[in-house]
Amino acid sequence: MTYSVSAFMEQVAQRSPGEPEFHQAVQEVVESIQPILDAYPDIRDNSVMERMVEPERVIMFRVPWVDDAGKIQVNRGFRVEMNSAIGPYKGGLRFHPTVNLGILKFLGFEQIFKNALTTLPLGGGKGGSDFDPKGKSDNEVMRFCQSFMNELWRHIGDRTDVPAGDIGVGSREIGFLFGQYKKLANQFSGVLTGKGHGWGGSLIRPEATGYGTIYFAEEMLKAKDDSIYKKSCLVSGSGNVAQYAVENINRIGGKAVTLSDSGGYIYDKDGIDDEKLAWVKDLKNVRRGRIRDYAERFGVDYFEGKRPWAVEADCAFPCATQNELSLQDAKRLVSNNVILVAEGANMPTVPDGVRLFQDEGTLFGPGKAANAGGVATSGLEMSQNAGHAVWDRNTVDKKLRNIMVDIHKSCYQAAEAHGTPGNYVAGANIAGFLKVAEAMLAQGVV
Ligand code: NDP
């Protein structure tokens, strides 16, 4: 009997009401793996998919902290430990006002398959808070991070659950979180990744997600005898992932022409070269300013409240947040003959947009494959920590590149093997799912 995707989704919606992003992420995976559930009765009959959508553990907690005016503020903290079949829970922490349980379940669910694709022994998890670091002083951010860790520390560990950064959690926040963990646990361990280079961090970890997305896109183009070289590229966001996507586009000889933040986007037709990018890094990571300042500094146009998808270009890299590329945006990209879309962010393209790209033959690299370089390099940081080793830049960059080449290969081959050639969404979902499903079957009903 054919596995019923709609019956399964009805059950998910009933058990987890009010979590639309989670439903969206699950729907995409279950649609892709339906043929697997039909072909492998063992997986279907042992309710593997039913178990995968239920987090192994959810921790929710109060995070009280004192602001600079002496007032007590209260936020909510979360850690969703989604799946540990192939390794300790691994996934970032997001600090953003939109964070809630449903958003973190969607991100944790995606993380299961992404981590499986990296070839490293990493389970899936995600966490964070509805705290907004924007507009807060460094001291406020520190007090918040310390309070957050006062609860989280007892649930994590280098062999249990290893968080990292995500939106709103960069090197400053990881530093404060690690300092507090160390104080409470009385232990210097690789419990967080994305640490500073002088205290257990890996070289290339800050660059890894953005670099990896471009390496993945380069592999997709290579399969078509093409390259990013001399291609114009749209990039959204201007945080960690976007900055290093631009840097790698520049290294390959392409031209990035846009960046954005939640206020709007800038269009620089001459390209965001390394000098301009250095200015952006200082603006975003040190001065914590807005992207509109780029327009003033370099004399280009700024489009308030808009996203960059109507600009003519060859490739597009959404690197900001979920559902930032609508069906309308996808139509514009297709009518502008964009040849490739690769997701630096998690689930930035709405499902109808993904379908349109696939129908129109636009190369489409889904986030769980294209942005897996970040968590892969976190895995490399864990290996270095466990072996008390420090690898040089070149070594880590080469390993990252090889991992992205391997991820591309397994998505490509899984798509071919299951009758959907060129469909990287199906390829990524099937390859990631099979690895975790086999481990779950071997480990019994847990
Ligand atoms: P950052 O916080 O460094 O940057 C996020 C960027 O996206 C900022 O420019 C921000 O603008 C913009 N943004 C955030 N929310 C919105 C919104 N609702 N509308 C428009 N713009 C928005 O985060 P990262 O670069 O680390 O993460 C970006 C994406 O990449 C996320 O989807 C994340 O899950 C994903 N990712 C990150 C990894 C990592 O290693 N960091 C690994 C894999 C995936 P503003 O400052 O105005 O909010």
Side-chain angles (χ1 to χ4, degrees), residues 94 96 107 114 126 134 165-169 205 209 237-242 260-263 284 290 319-322 344-346 371 374-375:
R94 175 176 292 192
H96 194 272
L107 290 164
K114 180 190 309 196
K126 201 82 189 186
K134 252 185 273 163
D166 189 74
I167 291 178
V169 179
R205 176 60 189 90
T209 308
S238 49
N240 173 268
V241 180
S260 71
D261 59 22
S262 50
K284 285 292 172 181
R290 309 304 300 158
C319 296
T321 194
Q322 64 274 359
N346 284 311
N371 72 35
V375 71

Side-chain angles (χ1 to χ4, degrees), residues 249-307:
I249 290 167
N250 291 346
R251 292 204 306 175
I252 295 175
K255 186 165 84 168
V257 293
T258 63
L259 279 172
S260 71
D261 59 22
S262 50
Y265 79 91
I266 59 100
Y267 171 49
D268 186 341
K269 69 174 174 18
D270 296 329
I272 302 158
D273 61 22
D274 285 345
E275 212 173 300
K276 293 172 184 168
L277 181 62
W279 187 90
V280 171
K281 286 182 188 168
D282 183 65
L283 173 78
K284 285 292 172 181
N285 310 343
V286 182
R287 289 181 283 136
R288 299 187 186 275
R290 309 304 300 158
I291 202 65
R292 87 169 85 80
D293 299 350
Y294 183 105
E296 265 165 51
R297 172 70 179 75
F298 297 108
V300 303
D301 286 332
Y302 171 68
F303 300 84
E304 176 90 28
K306 296 249 168 24
R307 297 159 179 167

Side-chain angles (χ1 to χ4, degrees), residues 168-356:
V169 179
S171 54
R172 173 182 62 169
E173 289 76 15
I174 293 290
F176 295 146
L177 291 164
F178 184 71
Q180 190 69 359
Y181 176 85
K182 193 163 54 63
K183 187 179 171 75
L184 293 165
N186 191 26
Q187 200 180 83
F188 195 112
S189 70
V191 68
L192 292 164
T193 56
K195 301 186 289 299
H197 180 52
W199 41 280
S202 174
L203 289 169
I204 300 290
R205 176 60 189 90
E207 291 87 341
T209 308
Y211 275 22
T213 301
I214 303 306
Y215 285 144
F216 189 86
E218 190 66 352
E219 287 306 298
M220 293 170 75
L221 288 167
K222 207 162 124 193
K224 300 267 177 201
D225 291 322
D226 207 344
S227 163
I228 286 173
Y229 182 67
K230 294 224 165 168
K231 298 262 186 317
S232 57
C233 301
L234 308 177
V235 178
S236 67
S238 49
N240 173 268
V241 180
Q243 291 169 18
Y244 289 104
V246 171
E247 190 163 295
N248 215 11
I249 290 167
N250 291 346
R251 292 204 306 175
I252 295 175
K255 186 165 84 168
V257 293
T258 63
L259 279 172
S260 71
D261 59 22
S262 50
Y265 79 91
I266 59 100
Y267 171 49
D268 186 341
K269 69 174 174 18
D270 296 329
I272 302 158
D273 61 22
D274 285 345
E275 212 173 300
K276 293 172 184 168
L277 181 62
W279 187 90
V280 171
K281 286 182 188 168
D282 183 65
L283 173 78
K284 285 292 172 181
N285 310 343
V286 182
R287 289 181 283 136
R288 299 187 186 275
R290 309 304 300 158
I291 202 65
R292 87 169 85 80
D293 299 350
Y294 183 105
E296 265 165 51
R297 172 70 179 75
F298 297 108
V300 303
D301 286 332
Y302 171 68
F303 300 84
E304 176 90 28
K306 296 249 168 24
R307 297 159 179 167
W309 312 125
V311 175
E312 286 190 24
D314 301 309
C315 304
F317 299 98
C319 296
T321 194
Q322 64 274 359
N323 295 329
E324 56 162 312
L325 203 159
S326 67
L327 177 60
Q328 206 56 31
D329 295 327
K331 285 182 180 164
R332 284 303 285 268
L333 291 169
V334 167
S335 70
N336 285 342
N337 298 314
V338 161
I339 55 171
L340 171 141
V341 178
E343 298 183 327
N346 284 311
M347 209 170 74
T349 312
V350 301
D352 285 347
V354 175
R355 271 189 282 275
L356 183 76

Side-chain angles (χ1 to χ4, degrees), residues 40-67:
Y40 297 82
D42 236 21
I43 295 180
R44 191 190 53 219
D45 297 345
N46 282 288
S47 305
V48 169
M49 194 60 199
E50 285 74 6
R51 282 190 273 157
M52 266 189 202
V53 293
E54 198 59 35
E56 288 180 14
R57 189 177 299 112
V58 174
I59 301 138
M60 271 174 75
F61 49 99
R62 179 170 69 202
V63 189
W65 57 280
V66 181
D67 68 18

